[in-house]
Amino acid sequence: MVVQESLATVITEYESNVVPGLLQTENYAETLMRWGGLLTPDNVELRVRARMARQGLFQRSTPPRCLFFLREHALRTVVGDSRLMHEQMLYLLLTGAHPRCAVRVVLDSTGPNTWNSFRVMEYDKYPSIVYAEGICGGTFLEVPSDVITHRTILGKLENAALDEEESRAWLTDLAAAYDHEEAAHSSPPRPDQAQQLLQQ
């Protein structure tokens, strides 16, 4: 995956369940990997480092043009806690402000999700390929008809998703909601609430 990403000139990704790896904060990535309980702590650490290293492609002198379509469900699914999610939403806003990176939100109200997560990677000197997510890992699809099918899906997402400005506003609101939720949980109880707790 790292080699394919590093050579790509355009990366277009659809994610329906979680924030894509290229857009994850370190805390989000670590919490997500620990959640499954299938990796040892050492493996989690190694994978988190590798994931963060992948994001270095945004720091290149000429990074690939990236477009991410993120399903609302992926952004509302809490990984860790509200504080972590607030941090993650701010990171999405920061990354989406990069001149060669765009983040667009696909609202759940647009209809049921019938597609698995995937990305299309385009190259100057090689044919485009698709990386499709699976339960036990991803699969690279190079047959032209498969690439065309996934490009068709991207066209539908283009029409369904909020535009970049609308997506930024939506993410800003969601970040504020996570921030308020965290503040509510961390605030000390009011005197009447404290009295009720003492009487329990």
Side-chain angles (χ1 to χ4, degrees):
M1 171 65 78
V2 176
V3 174
Q4 287 81 1
E5 284 178 349
S6 64
L7 294 175
T9 55
V10 179
I11 298 174
T12 310
E13 182 165 353
Y14 169 64
E15 181 56 69
S16 59
N17 296 314
V18 296
V19 173
L22 284 175
L23 300 179
Q24 292 176 3
T25 65
E26 185 172 346
N27 287 334
Y28 184 101
E30 180 178 357
T31 303
L32 189 64
M33 291 181 190
R34 291 187 186 281
W35 179 83
L38 300 177
L39 299 173
T40 66
D42 286 345
N43 281 335
V44 168
E45 183 178 353
L46 288 173
R47 292 193 180 204
V48 170
R49 287 181 183 176
R51 185 157 296 182
M52 295 301 102
R54 283 172 55 201
Q55 296 182 8
L57 73 101
F58 291 121
Q59 309 305 319
R60 286 165 29 185
S61 57
T62 307
R65 288 190 292 109
C66 296
L67 172 58
F68 298 91
F69 291 103
L70 308 186
R71 189 80 183 191
E72 178 181 350
H73 172 77
L75 302 170
R76 291 195 183 276
T77 298
V78 176
V79 175
D81 57 22
S82 299
R83 178 180 299 176
L84 190 154
M85 293 303 296
H86 175 245
E87 176 188 64
Q88 178 62 71
M89 294 307 108
L90 293 181
Y91 190 68
L92 287 177
L93 288 165
L94 177 64
T95 310
H98 191 286
R100 294 181 67 84
C101 180
V103 175
R104 296 180 59 185
V105 177
V106 183
L107 298 178
D108 290 342
S109 59
T110 60
N113 175 51
T114 58
W115 304 310
N116 292 327
S117 303
F118 69 90
R119 63 168 52 186
V120 176
M121 291 177 279
E122 302 175 36
Y123 306 90
D124 283 338
K125 299 180 180 179
Y126 309 100
S128 299
I129 62 173
V130 174
Y131 180 78
E133 295 285 357
I135 295 176
C136 297
T139 303
F140 287 101
L141 306 173
E142 302 180 34
V143 177
S145 59
D146 290 334
V147 176
I148 290 173
T149 295
H150 286 82
R151 286 190 187 280
T152 300
I153 295 173
L154 290 176
K156 294 181 180 297
L157 291 168
E158 179 78 28
N159 293 327
L162 300 176
D163 63 27
E164 289 184 57
E165 183 176 352
E166 292 169 334
S167 295
R168 281 193 293 271
W170 191 92
L171 288 169
T172 299
D173 289 343
L174 185 58
Y178 280 129
D179 189 36
H180 293 156
E181 184 176 340
E182 173 59 28
H185 288 165
S186 60
S187 297
R190 301 191 308 269
D192 59 327
Q193 293 176 323
Q195 185 64 30
Q196 290 175 3
L197 291 173
L198 289 173
Q199 292 174 352
Q200 292 179 353

